[in-house]
Amino acid sequence: MSSPVVSAREAEVLALLGEHLSNAEIAAQLFISVRTVESHVSSLLRKLEVPDRRALSRRAAESARAERSPSTPGLPAPLTAFIGRVRERGELAEAVKAHRQVNAVGPGGVGKTRLALAVAAELAGDFADGVWFVDLVPITDPGRVGAAVAAAVGVGEQPGRGIDESVLAALADRQALLVLDNCEQVRDGVAPFLERLLAACPRLRVLTTSRARMMVPFERVFPVPPLSRVGGGDSEAVTLFVDRAAAAGRPPDPAVRDQVVAICERLDGMALAIELAAARCPTLGVDGLTAGLSDQLRILAGGPRADDRHRSVRAVLDWSHDLLEPQDRALLRRVSVFVVPFTAEAAAEVAGFAPLDPAAVADGLGRLAEQSLLAVTSSAAGTRYQALETIRQYGTERLAGAGELLDVRSRHVGWCSAGATALAGAGGADWRARFDAMADDLRSALGWVAGRPEQRVDAYRLALCMAELTFTRNLLGEAQQRYEQAAVLAGDAAGAAALRQAAGVAGCRRLGDDMFRLHRAAAEAARRAGDTAGAGRDLAAAATIAYRFSSAFTLIPPVDEVTAMLAAARELSGADDPAAEAAVALAEAAVVADAFGAVQGATDNTVQETVARAEQAVELARRAGDPVAESAALDALSGARSWAGEAFAAAAAARHRIDVLASAPRTPAGTHELMDGLAMAAGTALGVGELPAARRWGRQLADQPLLAEVGHHAMSWLLVADAFAGNVEEVLTGSVRFLDAWEQSGRQRSFSLGPAAASVAMIHGLRGDHDARATWLAVVDRAGTAPEHRHGYGAVFDAMVLLHHGDTSAALERVAPEPDRVWKWVSWIWLHWYTALRAEAAVLAGHPDARDRVDAARVMVAGNPVATAQVHRAEALLDGDLPRLLAAAEAFGAAGCRYQSARTLLLAGGEHAAAGAAAFTGLGLAPGTVR
């Protein structure tokens, strides 16, 4: 059998799947759209005949291992050869195989990182899901350890949970090795994170490097010794010295090998100290090195033996530092403020002041690199420099000793602020990469300046800019954190505004509790600032959220508490502020009239009252000129119309939201409102049979950048629309993204996820693939809620499959209840579909009330092109009217429902049945059975 032909672009996508990147990460790296990535993934699944995305990732990882070069995907490629440590490599590898978490412990400069990388590369073939490396050097906040792991692994945030929980869910069943380097500076964050990670991910193993133990019970400590000096001139330490000296330009003469042995002995076999000394060998010679180190070591002699290794590194650093020209000493200590690789231009701006000439900084960086004090990396983006962490810490100490810490740190903050401002106004395909290259420096600068009261204004501005940038970068958890940080740094008035933005981000994250908390905090800040109307708006917003997004709460606020907040909002708002008046009106529609059908909502509200209150909220929001508030009020009106059974009015209100939001600013609140609006517009369009419109809005929702990492939510309504239309290939392609994201999310439940999974199950049922249908019905059980599936969308999808295969009795039973008995579950989207299917099932099963059901359905679905065609088809079948059957087929086609058009031809029989069967084959469906 011939091998499948995989295109060059598909090969690129496959390779990145092997590195466990998400669709969004792949799209960003290849400069293509997420939709294009989805298409390539679907094509690869078919060509390579594997069942799911995880199997694709494993296939790619296996191929990479089979063709592996010295570098390993997921691990940084060292620039120099790894020398010696045969025994330690074997022992550490065995420890990793035997224990869940191994901590390679040793002083700075002993060679922990290189040993861990070597062992990880050696063991990569033992881990089906690969190896990931996380450098914690740039992380200064212990709370961001999980975020660093997420970035390395390619995990995005999931709605309703923090980034740590998203990582746990994504790695839950992965067989992988995670390498965390330089844990000592955030040990308080690493230890609890690893405890949760290892408990949730039984097939995961973790190798850490640290200067200190984690002091946790699950830790297996592996002390990393210095390089062996056993063997004299043939020892590991001497071999390393000779190799690095040769790389610097000239290996030492064999005649002086004994002196090299003595140097390595004096340096206690510390790898970093040996490498730094060897880099000087071509210019100073072995005798010059011996003299310099002897003097330095005499100065530093004394003290307990346990400190000798630390002193050996400091000895070489002191000695290397003292050999530098004064300008290069200043440059080395000043660039220590950068936590990630930096450019010469950045160094000139931060470090280029007296006694340094900014124009001479680039030459100085080159000299420091020649002496192995800086590492150099070159790429298409340019040349960047970086100091090893030990050297960076040494430079920071020297910076403080020179009395320059405040000045240089402040210049670094200024450089970061300017860079952040430039990023905020920029765009382009490389924006994401440019932000990522600078992000950790921004975090470091903000962490420092936020602790200086005299620079509070600078800290506030940087925090606010970071909030905006991280929101754009889709780092929603950090964006919310930064807005809240900005609120703390600002005064009350500006703080209230920042808290409102934080609430908007929480909305995008589907965190109802946080939205509620933040609007209440904004109300308090506004009240302290004397803005009583603003306080009223925020209290009203909090009350609305408690009902509008009740399903997004972990703990729903008590009804009495929310009612009291609404009363306070009325009192504070007054009649002079249109925005506050509109906010209170919306809260009344939500709390008093339950326009949103909240979990805790009352059951005795009249439909008329609900509609009236919602209409008033819409009018007041329109007068206030706030498109986000008007959209929210229209959402209430759409809900109220739905409860009234006015499906077309509900759809019109939802559709109008999209038009209104076209003029809304792209703030977090506006973005949250837009995503909700697109979902509601797609859903209500489905409810009235407007399939092209539902697909259009469903696609817009799927393409929202903020949903790039949460494909299950992104694809939900598009899958349903495509399933109803009979777009089989689109459903199968989209289901890959849906399932992968849903599994990574920890298998969340949501009112939109159940119908999406059920629609995929329906397509598999129509194809005759009952095993796949059963698999997806199991997903429905986990993703949706049982009552909705039983009485609402499940009844609709199941009945369609049963009718397709000719099981009319079972279909009739599935939609047996009168619509008013299951009103709660069908009134929103499914009412017309349920009613039309119920009529058709009665006709096909020969039910005695078939005529009455058809007549009732005709009235109910009038104006819905798809449901009306289905009722007409049922009536034509009842009357044996072939021309009306063919007219129904045309009506289905005109409405964008190719599946029902083909089914109608099959039901028409004769020559039309052959055309229907051919149409089914073209759609990728089994022809079905006619009874």
Side-chain angles (χ1 to χ4, degrees):
M1 190 171 88
S2 61
S3 300
V5 178
V6 176
S7 70
R9 180 62 88 185
E10 287 171 344
E12 291 177 322
V13 171
L14 183 61
L16 294 174
L17 285 171
E19 297 180 29
H20 304 284
L21 298 187
S22 67
N23 285 352
E25 297 285 349
I26 294 172
Q29 189 154 330
L30 298 181
F31 298 104
I32 57 179
S33 71
V34 173
R35 288 181 64 183
T36 302
V37 176
E38 293 167 10
S39 297
H40 288 316
V41 170
S42 179
S43 176
L44 287 166
L45 288 171
R46 292 194 307 273
K47 289 181 177 180
L48 300 181
E49 298 181 346
V50 294
D52 52 33
R53 182 191 182 96
R54 184 168 290 106
L56 271 182
S57 297
R58 288 176 179 155
R59 177 82 168 260
E62 290 166 2
S63 299
R65 283 195 290 272
E67 303 174 356
R68 181 155 293 146
S69 63
S71 63
T72 302
L75 296 176
L79 300 177
T80 55
F82 185 78
I83 303 295
R85 293 202 184 277
V86 175
R87 179 180 60 81
E88 291 94 328
R89 286 175 69 171
E91 291 178 353
L92 182 55
E94 289 303 315
V96 171
K97 292 177 184 178
H99 304 282
R100 297 288 310 286
Q101 193 256 316
V102 179
N103 190 10
V105 175
V110 77
K112 302 183 295 295
T113 299
R114 290 300 302 271
L115 177 60
L117 286 173
V119 169
E122 185 177 306
L123 294 178
D126 295 343
F127 295 92
D129 292 313
V131 179
W132 293 294
F133 179 83
V134 185
D135 184 4
L136 295 178
V137 165
I139 308 302
T140 56
D141 179 359
R144 290 199 54 78
V145 171
V149 174
V153 175
V155 173
E157 291 190 51
Q158 299 293 331
R161 62 177 62 196
I163 192 65
D164 287 13
E165 287 74 17
S166 297
V167 171
L168 301 187
L171 302 185
D173 60 350
R174 295 288 180 89
Q175 184 187 8
L177 174 63
L178 182 65
V179 182
L180 297 182
D181 194 32
N182 293 295
C183 295
E184 61 276 350
Q185 62 182 358
V186 284
R187 186 175 59 172
D188 291 344
V190 172
F193 175 78
L194 287 185
E195 186 167 8
R196 296 171 61 204
L197 182 72
L198 292 170
C201 309
R203 304 172 71 202
L204 190 72
R205 292 184 183 267
V206 179
L207 172 59
T208 58
T209 75
S210 177
R211 298 187 185 189
R213 293 183 57 185
M214 300 287 179
M215 304 302 290
V216 289
F218 54 82
E219 173 187 32
R220 179 75 174 192
V221 176
F222 182 88
V224 178
L227 287 168
S228 172
R229 280 94 71 203
V230 176
D234 295 324
S235 68
E236 292 179 346
V238 172
T239 302
L240 177 65
F241 183 99
V242 172
D243 180 85
R244 300 305 191 252
R250 188 177 67 193
D253 191 292
V256 297
R257 183 64 64 98
D258 289 344
Q259 295 181 55
V260 173
V261 171
I263 290 173
C264 292
E265 191 65 42
R266 285 176 174 174
L267 297 179
D268 290 318
M270 297 296 282
L272 176 60
I274 291 172
E275 293 199 8
L276 291 173
R280 287 286 190 174
C281 188
T283 55
L284 295 178
V286 174
D287 54 346
L289 289 175
T290 301
L293 289 174
S294 295
D295 289 343
Q296 194 64 256
L297 290 174
R298 277 198 300 273
I299 295 172
L300 296 171
R305 178 67 185 172
D307 290 338
D308 283 353
R309 291 174 187 167
H310 292 278
R311 285 206 312 278
S312 65
V313 174
R314 178 171 293 281
V316 174
L317 289 173
D318 284 338
W319 169 72
S320 296
H321 175 269
D322 292 344
L323 289 175
L324 296 174
E325 294 296 325
Q327 291 84 354
D328 290 348
R329 294 180 195 172
L331 181 59
L332 180 64
R333 64 177 179 260
R334 291 174 183 178
V335 298
S336 68
V337 296
F338 291 101
V339 296
V340 292
F342 55 90
T343 64
E345 291 78 9
E349 188 167 342
V350 173
F353 60 97
L356 285 178
D357 180 354
V361 165
D363 287 341
L365 293 173
R367 288 190 295 272
L368 294 175
E370 289 170 1
Q371 295 157 35
S372 297
L373 293 169
L374 293 179
V376 186
T377 57
S378 298
S379 68
T383 301
R384 291 182 178 271
Y385 301 85
Q386 185 178 29
L388 294 176
E389 177 61 10
T390 300
I391 296 174
R392 197 176 74 82
Q393 291 179 3
Y394 177 85
T396 302
E397 291 179 8
R398 286 285 183 171
L399 194 62
E404 294 180 340
L405 184 61
L406 175 60
D407 195 7
V408 175
R409 273 294 206 175
S410 297
R411 292 174 70 93
H412 182 247
V413 169
W415 174 78
C416 286
S417 297
T421 301
L423 280 170
D430 64 339
W431 184 92
R432 183 172 177 159
R434 285 186 288 130
F435 170 81
D436 289 349
M438 193 177 190
D440 283 322
D441 268 309
L442 297 179
R443 294 176 181 120
S444 174
L446 179 55
W448 178 80
V449 75
R452 299 190 61 78
E454 67 275 17
Q455 293 181 266
R456 194 181 185 93
V457 173
D458 293 334
Y460 162 71
R461 290 172 180 164
L462 184 54
L464 195 61
C465 196
M466 271 292 285
E468 295 166 357
L469 291 172
T470 49
F471 183 77
T472 302
R473 178 60 178 81
N474 204 10
L475 301 174
L476 300 187
E478 184 174 4
Q480 181 180 328
Q481 174 194 352
R482 299 305 177 193
Y483 276 123
E484 293 193 54
Q485 183 179 22
V488 172
L489 293 166
D492 287 332
L499 289 167
R500 291 175 194 127
Q501 298 282 52
V505 180
C508 296
R509 300 176 68 200
R510 299 175 185 260
L511 298 176
D513 306 77
D514 276 8
M515 294 178 72
F516 185 77
R517 169 181 64 82
L518 289 164
H519 272 295
R520 293 190 71 177
E524 286 302 310
R527 198 198 308 260
R528 288 194 301 269
D531 180 9
T532 55
R537 287 199 308 273
D538 283 306
L539 287 177
T544 299
I545 286 163
Y547 277 68
R548 185 184 180 193
F549 300 112
S550 58
S551 62
F553 277 77
T554 303
L555 183 63
I556 297 175
V559 172
D560 291 346
E561 178 184 343
V562 176
T563 303
M565 289 173 55
L566 177 54
R570 291 192 193 101
E571 183 178 347
L572 289 168
S573 298
D576 298 330
D577 190 304
E581 188 180 5
V584 169
L586 178 59
E588 289 173 339
V591 178
V592 178
D594 192 27
F596 299 106
V599 174
Q600 72 274 35
T603 59
D604 56 354
N605 294 323
T606 65
V607 170
Q608 293 78 10
E609 178 191 5
T610 305
V611 171
R613 286 186 179 276
E615 287 179 331
Q616 181 187 27
V618 171
E619 179 59 28
L620 290 172
R622 185 180 297 119
R623 291 179 190 173
D626 184 344
V628 174
E630 186 177 350
S631 171
L634 284 166
D635 190 28
L637 180 59
S638 181
R641 293 294 188 190
S642 178
W643 286 119
E646 301 171 3
F648 294 101
R655 181 171 60 247
H656 188 42
R657 291 179 66 188
I658 309 304
D659 297 332
V660 167
L661 290 170
S663 62
R666 288 297 177 257
T667 61
T671 301
H672 176 220
E673 194 66 35
L674 177 61
M675 291 191 299
D676 183 77
L678 288 170
M680 296 303 101
T684 53
L686 280 169
V688 295
E690 297 176 358
L691 295 183
R695 291 193 71 251
R696 182 173 67 254
W697 286 315
R699 171 49 63 190
Q700 289 181 31
L701 180 67
D703 290 342
Q704 285 295 302
L706 218 58
L707 296 180
E709 306 289 353
V710 286
H712 49 317
H713 288 288
M715 296 299 299
S716 56
W717 291 114
L718 185 58
L719 284 173
V720 179
D722 275 330
F724 275 131
N727 299 330
V728 176
E729 184 64 26
E730 287 84 346
V731 171
L732 297 180
T733 299
S735 69
V736 175
R737 180 182 176 191
F738 177 96
L739 185 60
D740 180 61
W742 179 70
E743 289 179 339
Q744 287 199 30
S745 76
R747 298 178 172 87
Q748 292 177 322
R749 289 187 187 274
S750 170
F751 79 96
S752 63
L753 298 182
S759 70
V760 179
M762 182 189 77
I763 288 296
H764 284 298
L766 298 180
R767 296 177 74 222
D769 189 342
H770 299 295
D771 289 341
R773 172 171 164 76
T775 298
W776 276 91
L777 286 176
V779 174
V780 175
D781 289 340
R782 295 287 301 275
T785 59
E788 288 176 310
H789 182 231
R790 176 62 191 161
H791 302 298
Y793 61 82
V796 170
F797 291 128
D798 289 350
M800 288 181 68
V801 173
L802 292 167
L803 289 175
H804 180 84
H805 291 291
D807 194 347
T808 55
S809 296
L812 186 65
E813 178 64 25
R814 193 69 180 87
V815 290
E818 295 281 349
D820 58 1
R821 286 177 51 200
V822 290
W823 185 261
K824 181 177 181 180
W825 312 115
V826 301
S827 64
W828 181 44
I829 289 175
W830 316 110
L831 178 60
H832 289 183
W833 298 95
Y834 185 92
T835 304
L837 278 164
R838 192 166 180 273
E840 182 173 313
V843 169
L844 292 173
H847 193 279
D849 294 335
R851 180 74 64 182
D852 291 339
R853 290 191 182 184
V854 168
D855 291 341
R858 187 188 309 108
V859 175
M860 175 71 73
V861 305
N864 181 323
V866 178
T868 295
Q870 191 164 11
V871 173
H872 286 169
R873 181 175 70 191
E875 189 171 27
L877 288 169
L878 189 62
D879 296 337
D881 190 337
L882 179 61
R884 289 180 66 191
L885 270 180
L886 299 179
E890 291 184 6
F892 281 124
C897 192
R898 295 189 294 164
Y899 164 72
Q900 293 292 2
S901 180
R903 174 168 162 74
T904 306
L905 294 175
L906 199 68
L907 290 166
E911 63 184 49
H912 305 296
F920 272 135
T921 301
L923 290 174
L925 296 174
T929 303
V930 177
R931 283 188 187 172

